[in-house]
Amino acid sequence: MVSETLRRQVEALHTRYVRVIDDDQIEEWPKLFTETCLYRIATRENHAQGLPLAVMECRSRRMMEDRVTGLRRINVYEPQRYVHQISALEIEPAGEGRLKCRSNFLVIRTLSDGAMSVFSAGVYLDTVVVESGAALFEERVVVQDSRRVDTLVVIPL
Amino acid sequence: MVSETLRRQVEALHTRYVRVIDDDQIEEWPKLFTETCLYRIATRENHAQGLPLAVMECRSRRMMEDRVTGLRRINVYEPQRYVHQISALEIEPAGEGRLKCRSNFLVIRTLSDGAMSVFSAGVYLDTVVVESGAALFEERVVVQDSRRVDTLVVIPL
Amino acid sequence: MVSETLRRQVEALHTRYVRVIDDDQIEEWPKLFTETCLYRIATRENHAQGLPLAVMECRSRRMMEDRVTGLRRINVYEPQRYVHQISALEIEPAGEGRLKCRSNFLVIRTLSDGAMSVFSAGVYLDTVVVESGAALFEERVVVQDSRRVDTLVVIPL
């Protein structure tokens, strides 16, 4: 069991993550991660088989910032928006100030013509560190259920 | 940061809101708001541009009660039901006993023939006041992602 | 109002429930219930009218275990996976160490070809008991909005 204070910090990190993506503040997204980190989107199949193929992968905050610059250049926020739902957050102490977290996510996507659909659903597998009072992701592996979605992902999930 | 007690009161208000709508206790809906209040449904586009157009707007508890009376007259609960999901609740103190809240919502609608679909998704932007131990909405602005939904909204989101 | 400790135990039970189903650890599912229990899936219509018809019904942990054995035999996890979202959890003390809980659920189903859809949405009506520090379901009645889903349910919701 983790303390209430720690739990609230982790919840706040999850909430912040959702806000920066859904509210188009994507420049804030890398700041939720440690300098050296892992952000990875994989399908359930790839993840289960330990395959190196990923839909998206960044190994540092710097790579994430580059990704954001790229996103802004192609102006993806015009044609699509996400709304996230997060549920069933589990937090386990993992030693050395680290926490292992799991949660279910669901992303509803709205296109510019107004069409809404279930775009992605799956599990976040996280390693969170708490440094000087603030929680950051050291690792976020997004395991999505469907392999269909691969080519459609532009914005991080 | 708000206190745990306050957070639980705000969460309870959000939960109550979902229950009264999803469980067809719509007469209880206005009671979750202060006498003078704002309930407004806008599309993301309208909201971002500050346009006065709203899908639905009530400026007092009384107007909300009138809305409920109207709903009962046309008996909308027969053909459709909502199931809400709420996530990523942020609560910030805003002075004078007020709290600013944001959360993501998702509404699944089921029609009488059994068809289920993503009906609406977006953000609740709230001002909550705590009066004599109970939390009430002073303002709830529902910003939905899609403009398509306008003409379909009858029950409050 | 229930204590924070009790609330966290109930939340943890809900989270565990989601994990064992979504992560294909279905053998753990009956362990979240008391020996004598009720697990029942009904449509909103049937539930409202008090009809005995249920989509699925188990009256003991033993029956649930049999159900799991059956599921493994037909190997249902190959063609479909669930992702749950849970929201708006209400907890009320009900005397004699029991708690009455309500929450909204949403299940996104992914088929083996990658198609994702809203599979089921509705309300969990639970009786939870806390025995020697652990929370267990004595009763979980799943009331789903749509009657369409009946014949499609194989894995518990």
Side-chain angles (χ1 to χ4, degrees):
Chain A
M1 290 281 286
V2 299
S3 72
E4 279 300 303
T5 310
L6 213 48
R7 169 167 283 274
R8 288 302 187 191
Q9 285 177 318
V10 173
E11 287 177 356
L13 178 64
H14 279 71
T15 294
R16 185 90 189 109
Y17 184 94
V18 165
R19 284 271 66 82
V20 302
I21 294 179
D22 293 3
D23 291 354
D24 189 8
Q25 304 171 357
I26 194 81
E27 284 76 10
E28 303 297 313
W29 173 65
K31 299 178 191 166
L32 306 180
F33 288 76
T34 54
E35 293 269 357
T36 304
C37 60
L38 175 64
Y39 175 77
R40 189 181 154 85
I41 305 179
T43 61
R44 196 197 281 260
E45 255 181 334
N46 280 357
H47 184 75
Q49 297 169 18
L51 297 179
L53 292 162
V55 179
M56 192 190 292
E57 188 171 291
C58 298
R59 296 201 155 265
S60 67
R61 197 191 279 170
R62 181 61 180 276
M63 282 181 67
M64 298 173 79
E65 288 162 355
D66 288 348
R67 183 100 207 170
V68 170
T69 309
L71 283 177
R72 285 301 185 202
R73 199 169 293 136
I74 59 169
N75 196 20
V76 291
Y77 274 105
E78 181 59 37
Q80 59 184 312
R81 295 300 289 256
Y82 289 173
V83 175
H84 280 75
Q85 292 286 322
I86 308 288
S87 243
L89 172 60
E90 260 184 342
I91 309 171
E92 295 291 336
E96 299 180 39
R98 279 176 178 75
L99 301 161
K100 290 283 179 189
C101 308
R102 297 174 70 97
S103 54
N104 275 8
F105 73 90
L106 168 63
V107 175
I108 304 298
R109 187 171 64 157
T110 307
L111 298 176
S112 60
D113 67 354
M116 286 186 301
S117 61
V118 175
F119 178 60
S120 183
V123 183
Y124 287 133
L125 303 178
D126 306 321
T127 306
V128 170
V129 292
V130 181
E131 289 176 350
S132 45
L136 293 172
F137 292 112
E138 188 175 66
E139 201 174 300
R140 164 152 279 194
V141 178
V142 185
V143 184
Q144 64 188 354
D145 262 25
S146 177
R147 56 195 134 153
R148 266 208 197 162
V149 91
D150 304 20
T151 55
L152 300 168
V153 172
V154 192
I155 307 173
L157 290 173
Chain B
M1 291 281 284
V2 298
S3 71
E4 279 300 304
T5 310
L6 213 48
R7 170 167 282 275
R8 287 302 185 193
Q9 284 177 318
V10 173
E11 288 177 357
L13 178 64
H14 280 69
T15 295
R16 184 92 190 106
Y17 183 94
V18 165
R19 286 269 67 81
V20 302
I21 294 180
D22 293 3
D23 291 355
D24 189 9
Q25 303 170 0
I26 195 81
E27 283 76 9
E28 302 297 312
W29 173 64
K31 298 178 191 165
L32 306 180
F33 288 75
T34 54
E35 293 268 357
T36 304
C37 60
L38 175 64
Y39 175 78
R40 187 180 155 86
I41 303 179
T43 61
R44 196 197 281 259
E45 255 181 334
N46 280 356
H47 184 74
Q49 298 168 16
L51 296 179
L53 291 163
V55 178
M56 193 189 293
E57 187 172 292
C58 298
R59 298 203 153 264
S60 66
R61 196 190 280 169
R62 181 63 180 277
M63 281 180 69
M64 299 172 79
E65 288 163 355
D66 288 348
R67 183 100 206 170
V68 170
T69 309
L71 283 177
R72 285 302 184 203
R73 199 169 293 136
I74 59 171
N75 196 20
V76 291
Y77 274 105
E78 182 58 37
Q80 59 184 313
R81 295 300 288 254
Y82 289 173
V83 175
H84 280 74
Q85 292 286 321
I86 308 288
S87 244
L89 172 60
E90 261 185 340
I91 308 171
E92 294 291 336
E96 300 178 38
R98 281 176 175 75
L99 302 161
K100 290 283 178 188
C101 307
R102 296 174 72 97
S103 55
N104 275 7
F105 73 90
L106 168 63
V107 175
I108 304 298
R109 188 172 63 157
T110 307
L111 298 177
S112 59
D113 67 353
M116 285 185 302
S117 61
V118 174
F119 178 59
S120 184
V123 183
Y124 287 134
L125 303 178
D126 305 323
T127 305
V128 170
V129 292
V130 180
E131 289 176 351
S132 45
L136 294 172
F137 293 112
E138 188 174 66
E139 200 172 301
R140 165 152 278 195
V141 177
V142 185
V143 184
Q144 64 188 355
D145 262 25
S146 178
R147 55 195 134 153
R148 266 210 198 160
V149 89
D150 305 19
T151 54
L152 299 168
V153 172
V154 191
I155 308 173
L157 290 174
Chain C
M1 291 281 284
V2 298
S3 72
E4 280 300 304
T5 310
L6 212 48
R7 169 167 282 274
R8 288 301 186 193
Q9 285 178 318
V10 173
E11 287 177 357
L13 178 64
H14 279 70
T15 294
R16 185 93 190 104
Y17 183 95
V18 166
R19 285 270 67 80
V20 302
I21 294 179
D22 293 3
D23 291 354
D24 189 9
Q25 305 170 358
I26 194 83
E27 283 75 11
E28 302 298 312
W29 174 64
K31 298 178 190 166
L32 306 180
F33 288 75
T34 53
E35 293 269 357
T36 305
C37 60
L38 175 65
Y39 175 77
R40 186 182 157 85
I41 304 179
T43 61
R44 195 197 282 261
E45 256 180 335
N46 281 356
H47 184 74
Q49 297 168 16
L51 296 179
L53 293 162
V55 178
M56 193 190 293
E57 188 172 288
C58 298
R59 297 203 153 265
S60 67
R61 197 191 279 170
R62 181 61 180 277
M63 282 181 69
M64 297 172 80
E65 288 162 355
D66 288 349
R67 182 100 207 170
V68 170
T69 310
L71 283 178
R72 285 303 184 202
R73 199 170 293 135
I74 59 169
N75 195 20
V76 290
Y77 275 105
E78 182 58 37
Q80 59 183 312
R81 293 300 289 255
Y82 289 173
V83 175
H84 280 74
Q85 292 286 321
I86 308 288
S87 245
L89 172 59
E90 260 185 341
I91 309 171
E92 295 290 335
E96 298 178 39
R98 281 176 176 76
L99 302 161
K100 290 283 180 189
C101 307
R102 298 174 71 96
S103 54
N104 275 8
F105 73 90
L106 168 64
V107 175
I108 304 298
R109 187 172 64 156
T110 307
L111 299 176
S112 60
D113 66 354
M116 287 186 301
S117 61
V118 174
F119 178 60
S120 183
V123 183
Y124 287 134
L125 304 178
D126 306 322
T127 306
V128 169
V129 292
V130 181
E131 289 176 352
S132 44
L136 294 172
F137 292 111
E138 188 174 66
E139 201 174 299
R140 165 151 279 194
V141 177
V142 185
V143 184
Q144 64 188 354
D145 261 25
S146 178
R147 55 196 134 151
R148 268 208 195 162
V149 90
D150 305 19
T151 54
L152 300 168
V153 173
V154 191
I155 307 172
L157 289 174

